[in-house]
């Protein structure tokens, strides 16, 4: 279940449930890293609460945003696409 000790936890749940899941996860376990899917919580108060709890417990919190406009992402994507087409 959710109570097991893990170093890295990925939270990919419905936005309406994300805050409750994160609170429970942070209070019952102490992972080193939490990776959340976006959107990150429904409001600023919930975001601040989660960030504060993570800081207090020294948990690194990441929010997974697709960076389809990031120049590095675009360059890597272009290279991967080029390599994929040249293999055939």
């Amino acid at each position: 279940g959710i109570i097991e000790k893990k170093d890295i936890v990925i939270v990919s749940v419905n936005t309406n449930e994300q805050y409750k899941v994160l609170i429970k996860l942070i209070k019952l376990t102490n992972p080193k890293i939490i990776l959340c899917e976006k959107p990150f919580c429904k409001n600023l108060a919930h975001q601040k609460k989660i960030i504060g709890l993570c800081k207090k417990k020294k948990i690194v919190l990441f929010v997974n945003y697709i960076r389809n406009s990031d120049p590095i992402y675009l360059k890597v994507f272009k290279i991967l696409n080029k390599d994929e087409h040249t293999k055939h």
Side-chain angles (χ1 to χ4, degrees):
I2 193 171
I3 309 302
E4 286 182 47
K5 170 71 172 121
K6 301 291 180 191
D7 287 342
I8 300 172
V9 178
I10 298 171
V11 178
S12 182
V13 297
N14 178 303
T15 304
N16 292 326
E17 300 299 317
Q18 190 181 56
Y19 178 74
K20 289 185 273 185
V21 169
L22 286 167
I23 290 292
K24 188 173 184 179
L25 175 72
I26 292 167
K27 287 185 176 182
L28 297 177
T29 67
N30 195 29
K32 293 178 183 177
I33 298 170
I34 296 175
L35 173 64
C36 295
E37 291 297 326
K38 72 171 190 135
F40 175 53
C41 298
K42 289 181 74 170
N43 62 58
L44 186 58
H46 285 176
Q47 291 174 2
K48 287 182 175 183
K49 175 77 173 178
I50 297 299
I51 291 167
L53 286 171
C54 286
K55 284 182 178 180
K56 183 178 178 182
K57 289 192 146 203
K58 296 183 175 139
I59 299 170
V60 179
L61 175 66
F62 290 99
V63 178
N64 188 25
Y65 290 97
I66 297 173
R67 303 192 190 291
N68 57 3
S69 61
D70 184 319
I72 293 173
Y73 173 88
L74 293 172
K75 186 174 183 176
V76 169
F77 184 76
K78 186 176 179 180
I79 290 168
L80 291 174
N81 261 346
K82 180 181 174 190
D83 289 346
E84 189 63 33
H85 293 300
T86 58
K87 286 182 183 176
H88 302 287

